[in-house]
């Protein structure tokens, strides 16, 4: 039987296991990427492993999340990242060069290669035919050490695209359509693989918008074929040698098949506060808009910003709207400048920000109190913008540009002028000279650590028996932004676990940290899809530091589940979902872990009830938890 694209890449990189959905597999990793906010922890962990050089074909360290440098902490982190990269053989991308996923797509990602990154939007590189996955920093550290990456073999879903987008519909609307159809948990345990005649109507950056936001579906990753458009993109980047053709075998079999008619897709918009609360823009006509933010790893490419520039050219933005643009990379910025597209934006009243994540992770650009912000980003979780009561909508750059002009959402049927069909140029200006490549001889490189770089805390093994109070009970779809907020103040503490732990659940329950400290240990009770969103392992490390030993939920998001395990927190699942209702905050539960088996069930004793819970752990995962985390296990084995 034939293979799909993802199956082919996995087969070529397979170290252990079989291509059977649901089974644990191990694959060799060719490339890794990190960004600053998760990178410091990843490199501290890499250093703890004790190797002299990274073992991958290519590892890149990007600085794009926090570049505000308010005080010494953040610049100290940057300096640590720069010197660590030089010491261990990584490419370093200095602050302001661009957003990790956009830069990686343009400069390094290759069809057929495997990539893991300590950022949940790493699947962006699926747009060029890479098998790219988000992971916790520790998993990335181990991949840099040459260890295979362990994952559950996903189900492969064939997304057959037919026809072509019409009018003002764009790639963003395709992924919003899929979010409306499948929801934020609809992709858990799956890879979406795109095929069909509609694929060739999409350029690589448009494909990357779709694979990027596959993260919001909960997918392991998404992937497009590598075809003539991929070759054209690589040629324009001067990277023709990185091209290989990739397509599914005609007789490939899939676990599920979905057909999407691109001609039926209209401009869509995700409403507060979840990326799957999608409506047609036309339905929301008349909604007043206070802010428009254009950029992020989803929609900051050359064509995205060019379309905005053409819409705003010769016009003025609405006087009551604050419009912010952050280009995805200096390459994009250069192309806008070379084509005289920057002045039309500035003349229209737009504010130009650095080529970084910026407002997407709450690094400035917060909306007004209760304000409505239309953003071309991928996440609109409550409070993520930095304004707790703001209402954030997610839309395409085109929809955002019209909102900027009109000061409100309007029916696309009324939009003028019609946009010409936009094409990628045949040659992009190179910005490769802006990356810092590692020196041949690293003997003189000194790793510089400021006082904010605090060594990792030590964690003890799982006890055989323990009584734990419920420290907090939360609902469905809790994101890692709920567990640990973004923003400049908190993100500056990413390399200091004791300090950052003070912010755990700070936006959800101000008493959480106090309660955790009072009991010194405990459990978190969650609903469905607990830990969706970001890959930040601090959302596991922080709770672990505060004494959390177990998270009991209805279901878990993939990356967060892996992070919990990596730091020795036991993820348990309700056998009977109604039992969720029984549990109360501060109630004491007794756990006996002696007979805990991979995939088995466990009885927990409360004061008034006896609950049965399950685990879906593999033998290896349980071994990690019993050791008190993966670093302990690796160290024990080496000793
Ligand atoms: C995000 O979009 O939430 C982030 C910020 O990029 C995170 C990583 C982080 O928290 O550092 C992600 O998506 O993994
Ligand atoms: Fe940066 Fe936002 Fe993309 Fe995360 S989602 S990598 S914060 S631009």
């Amino acid at each position: 039987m034939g293979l799909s694209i993802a199956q082919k890449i996995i087969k070529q990189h397979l170290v252990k296991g079989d291509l059977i959905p649901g089974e644990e597999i191990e694959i060799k990793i060719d490339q890794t990427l990190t960004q600053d906010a998760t990178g410091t922890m990843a490199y501290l962990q890499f250093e703890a492993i004790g190797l002299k050089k990274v073992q991958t074909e290519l590892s890149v360290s990007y600085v794009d999340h926090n570049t505000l440098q308010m005080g010494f902490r953040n610049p100290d982190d940057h300096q640590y990242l720069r010197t660590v990269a030089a010491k261990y053989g990584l490419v370093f991308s200095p602050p302001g060069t661009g957003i990790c996923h956009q830069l990686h797509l343009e400069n390094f990602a290759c069809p057929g290669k495997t990539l893991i990154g300590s950022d949940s939007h790493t699947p962006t590189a699926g747009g060029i035919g890479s098998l790219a996955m988000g992971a916790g920093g520790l998993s990335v550290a181990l991949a840099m050490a040459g260890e295979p990456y362990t994952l559950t073999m996903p189900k492969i879903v064939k997304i057959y695209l037919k026809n072509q987008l019409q009018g003002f519909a764009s790639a963003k609307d395709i992924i919003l359509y899929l979010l409306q159809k499948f929801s934020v948990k609809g992709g858990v345990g799956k890879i979406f693989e795109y095929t069909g005649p509609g694929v060739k109507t999409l350029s690589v950056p448009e494909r990357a918008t779709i694979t990027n936001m596959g993260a919001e579906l909960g997918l392991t990753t998404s992937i497009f074929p590598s075809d003539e458009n991929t070759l054209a993109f690589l040629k324009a980047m001067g990277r023709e040698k990185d091209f290989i053709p990739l397509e599914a075998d005609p007789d490939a079999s899939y676990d599920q098949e979905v057909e999407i008619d691109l001609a039926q897709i209209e401009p869509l918009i995700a409403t507060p506060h979840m990326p799957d609360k999608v409506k047609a823009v036309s339905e929301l006509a008349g909604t007043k808009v206070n802010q428009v933010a254009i950029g992020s790893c989803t929609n900051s490419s050359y064509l995205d910003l060019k379309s905005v520039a053409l819409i705003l050219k010769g016009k003025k933005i609405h006087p009551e709207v604050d419009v912010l643009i952050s280009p995805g990379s200096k390459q994009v910025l250069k192309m806008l400048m070379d084509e005289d597209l920057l002045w039309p934006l500035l003349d229209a009243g737009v504010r130009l920000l650095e080529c970084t994540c910026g407002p997407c992770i709450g690094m400035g650009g917060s909306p007004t109190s209760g304000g409505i912000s239309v953003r071309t980003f991928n996440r609109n979780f409550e409070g993520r913008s930095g304004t707790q009561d703001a209402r954030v909508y997610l839309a395409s750059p085109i929809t955002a540009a019209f909102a900027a002009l009109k000061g409100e959402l309007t029916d696309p049927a009324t939009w003028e002028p019609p946009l010409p069909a936009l094409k990628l140029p045949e040659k992009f200006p190179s910005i490769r000279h802006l990356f810092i490549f590692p020196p041949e001889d690293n003997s003189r490189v000194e790793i510089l650590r400021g006082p904010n770089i605090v060594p990792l805390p030590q964690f003890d093994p799982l006890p055989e028996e323990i009584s734990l109070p419920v420290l907090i009970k939360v609902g469905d779809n809790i994101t890692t932004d709920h567990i640990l907020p973004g923003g400049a103040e908190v993100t500056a503490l990413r390399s200091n676990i004791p300090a950052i732990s003070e912010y755990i659940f700070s936006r959800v329950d101000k008493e959480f940290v106090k309660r955790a400290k009072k009991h010194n240990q405990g459990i978190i009770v969650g609903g469905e899809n607990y830990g969706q969103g970001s890959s930040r392992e601090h959302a596991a490390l922080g709770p672990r530091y505060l004494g959390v030993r177990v998270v009991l939920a209805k279901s878990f998001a993939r990356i967060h589940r892996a992070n919990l395990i990596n730091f020795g927190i036991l993820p348990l699942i309700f056998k009977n979902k109604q039992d969720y209702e029984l549990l109360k905050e501060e109630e004491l539960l007794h756990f006996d872990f002696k007979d805990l088996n991979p995939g088995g069930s466990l009885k927990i004793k409360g004061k008034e009830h006896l609950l049965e819970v399950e685990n879906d752990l593999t033998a290896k995962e349980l071994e990690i938890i019993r050791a008190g985390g993966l670093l302990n296990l690796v160290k024990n084995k080496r000793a």
Side-chain angles (χ1 to χ4, degrees):
M1 201 180 17
L3 297 175
S4 79
I5 299 169
Q7 286 164 341
K8 285 184 192 185
I9 303 178
I10 293 173
K11 196 169 164 209
Q12 268 165 12
H13 291 80
L14 200 64
V15 175
K16 208 169 171 185
D18 298 304
L19 272 64
I20 303 169
E23 304 256 304
E24 188 173 88
I25 57 167
E26 291 182 13
I27 59 170
K28 178 183 171 290
I29 296 300
D30 302 322
Q31 300 188 341
T32 64
L33 71 79
T34 57
Q35 37 89 341
D36 49 303
T38 54
T40 48
M41 227 1 99
Y43 297 112
L44 284 171
Q45 290 165 152
F46 179 77
E47 288 193 270
I49 301 169
L51 288 173
K52 288 214 160 61
K53 278 225 144 124
V54 293
Q55 307 291 305
T56 44
E57 287 175 17
L58 173 88
S59 287
V60 190
S61 171
Y62 296 94
V63 177
D64 55 355
H65 276 59
N66 188 0
T67 58
L68 295 184
Q69 305 185 318
M70 289 153 57
F72 67 91
R73 293 189 178 84
N74 184 229
D76 279 7
D77 280 357
H78 298 173
Q79 174 177 259
Y80 170 69
L81 291 168
R82 179 173 50 77
T83 51
V84 147
K87 188 79 186 171
Y88 295 115
L90 290 100
V91 179
F92 180 69
S93 172
T97 313
I99 304 174
C100 56
H101 308 302
Q102 178 72 24
L103 286 172
H104 205 77
L105 185 80
E106 290 168 353
N107 297 284
F108 300 110
C110 301
K113 297 272 184 207
T114 53
L115 162 73
I116 66 168
S118 60
D119 191 281
S120 61
H121 291 103
T122 306
T124 311
I128 210 166
S130 265
L131 189 83
M133 288 162 291
L138 182 50
S139 304
V140 176
L142 287 164
M144 290 191 289
E147 294 288 322
Y149 179 56
T150 306
L151 73 155
T152 308
M153 178 67 201
K155 290 187 175 153
I156 314 285
V157 183
K158 173 178 175 180
I159 308 285
Y160 183 87
L161 303 180
K162 67 174 192 187
N163 294 323
Q164 185 167 356
L165 291 168
Q166 306 289 321
F168 288 104
S170 69
K172 180 65 159 280
D173 302 306
I174 303 178
I175 188 66
L176 288 172
Y177 176 86
L178 289 170
L179 273 153
Q180 185 177 42
K181 194 173 166 75
F182 292 105
S183 91
V184 289
K185 50 181 206 283
V188 176
K190 296 175 183 169
I191 293 178
F192 275 12
E193 196 171 306
Y194 292 85
T195 97
V199 164
K200 68 172 188 308
T201 68
L202 299 167
S203 66
V204 167
E206 290 174 294
R207 295 173 185 183
T209 292
I210 298 171
T211 54
N212 170 281
M213 231 181 143
E216 275 53 66
L217 285 160
L219 291 164
T220 301
T221 190
S222 310
I223 194 162
F224 272 85
S226 172
D227 57 8
E228 65 270 24
N229 294 2
T230 321
L231 179 61
F233 180 78
L234 285 168
K235 256 193 193 160
M237 290 298 314
R239 295 209 288 133
E240 210 173 329
K241 62 169 189 355
D242 290 337
F243 177 76
I244 56 156
L246 257 182
E247 59 177 352
D249 292 329
D251 57 341
S253 88
Y254 299 86
D255 299 292
Q256 192 185 339
E257 299 194 14
V258 179
E259 189 178 286
I260 310 283
D261 183 354
L262 296 182
Q264 297 301 320
I265 291 182
E266 58 180 317
L268 297 171
I269 190 160
T271 65
H273 297 285
M274 271 303 144
D276 61 357
K277 290 191 162 178
V278 174
K279 292 203 167 124
V281 175
S282 56
E283 275 180 72
L284 296 178
T287 308
K288 204 172 150 25
V289 173
N290 309 96
Q291 185 196 53
V292 168
I294 297 170
S296 93
C297 56
T298 318
N299 278 123
S300 59
S301 71
Y302 160 74
L303 286 186
D304 284 335
L305 300 195
K306 180 169 181 169
S307 61
V308 174
L310 294 179
I311 293 166
L312 298 188
K313 196 172 181 167
K315 305 212 167 64
K316 277 213 73 186
I317 57 170
H318 192 276
E320 284 162 32
V321 188
D322 189 23
V323 183
L324 310 160
I325 294 193
S326 22
S329 69
K330 281 194 178 160
Q331 182 180 64
V332 172
L333 188 56
K334 199 162 192 298
M335 289 165 85
L336 294 177
M337 287 164 83
D338 291 350
E339 271 189 59
D340 255 339
L341 290 169
L342 205 53
W343 266 112
L345 290 171
L346 298 176
D347 265 340
V350 162
R351 297 165 61 186
L352 186 66
L353 305 181
E354 239 190 329
C355 305
T356 57
C357 301
C360 180
I361 189 203
M363 288 295 163
S366 298
T368 51
S369 293
I372 292 194
S373 178
V374 174
R375 302 179 157 211
T376 67
F377 307 168
N378 46 37
R379 294 187 168 145
N380 58 347
F381 305 145
E382 197 171 1
R384 180 174 162 103
S385 65
T387 303
Q388 191 60 30
D389 61 357
R391 300 177 57 77
V392 175
Y393 290 72
L394 306 173
S396 73
I398 296 173
T399 302
F402 281 106
L405 274 185
K406 317 254 174 192
E408 59 181 25
L409 294 173
T410 48
D411 188 338
T414 66
W415 291 353
E416 292 280 346
L419 271 181
L422 300 181
K423 273 215 181 94
L424 286 179
E426 276 169 25
K427 192 99 205 100
F428 289 34
S430 171
I431 57 157
R432 269 186 100 79
H433 59 285
L434 296 178
F435 298 112
I436 303 178
F437 290 86
E440 280 295 322
D441 173 12
N442 68 355
S443 58
R444 300 244 287 276
V445 179
E446 190 197 339
I447 299 177
L448 300 174
R449 298 164 213 273
N452 193 41
I453 315 278
V454 175
L456 276 170
Q458 297 286 323
F459 297 132
D460 58 335
L462 189 75
E464 291 196 335
E465 259 183 72
I466 196 168
S467 288
L468 299 170
V470 176
L471 294 178
I472 190 170
K473 182 175 166 184
V474 289
D476 291 346
N477 295 321
I478 284 294
T479 70
T480 47
D481 278 87
H482 288 111
I483 307 171
L484 179 78
E489 190 190 349
V490 185
T491 306
L493 301 171
R494 288 286 182 96
S495 35
N496 186 341
I497 298 304
I500 208 166
S501 300
E502 298 289 327
Y503 292 87
I504 297 296
F505 282 119
S506 57
R507 287 217 192 113
V508 176
D509 176 355
K510 293 232 172 321
E511 297 302 306
F512 174 81
V513 173
K514 221 193 270 167
R515 205 176 305 125
K517 285 186 175 166
K518 180 175 103 192
H519 294 286
N520 235 334
Q521 56 186 11
I523 115 163
I524 294 171
V525 175
E528 298 282 5
N529 200 23
Y530 180 81
Q532 70 159 324
S534 151
S535 68
R536 60 190 75 150
E537 55 192 350
H538 305 75
L541 265 165
R544 179 72 179 88
Y545 183 77
L546 294 171
V548 172
R549 307 302 304 238
V550 174
V551 179
L552 172 58
K554 293 183 188 168
S555 63
F556 288 90
R558 179 186 72 93
I559 304 177
H560 188 61
R561 176 185 175 280
N563 285 338
L564 291 173
I565 295 168
N566 279 350
F567 297 105
I569 299 181
L570 182 63
L572 292 174
I573 313 161
F574 285 100
K575 184 162 191 175
N576 180 352
K577 287 189 180 170
Q578 279 91 303
D579 286 351
Y580 169 87
E581 307 301 333
L582 298 175
L583 295 176
K584 289 192 190 64
E585 239 160 60
E586 303 235 31
E587 147 164 32
L588 204 62
L589 300 171
H590 187 77
F591 296 80
D592 186 343
F593 298 129
K594 283 194 286 294
D595 299 325
L596 183 64
N597 290 315
S601 63
L602 187 74
K603 292 214 167 54
I604 319 180
K605 269 189 240 126
K607 202 166 159 207
E608 285 153 27
H609 31 254
L610 188 68
L611 297 185
E612 197 166 356
V613 298
E614 291 175 327
N615 76 78
D616 59 356
L617 299 167
T618 63
K620 185 173 161 190
E621 289 172 334
L622 188 55
E623 195 190 359
I624 295 171
I625 294 168
R626 286 208 191 274
L630 186 51
L631 269 184
N632 285 357
L633 187 71
V634 172
K635 280 193 215 145
N636 295 349
K637 287 205 166 149
R638 289 188 177 222

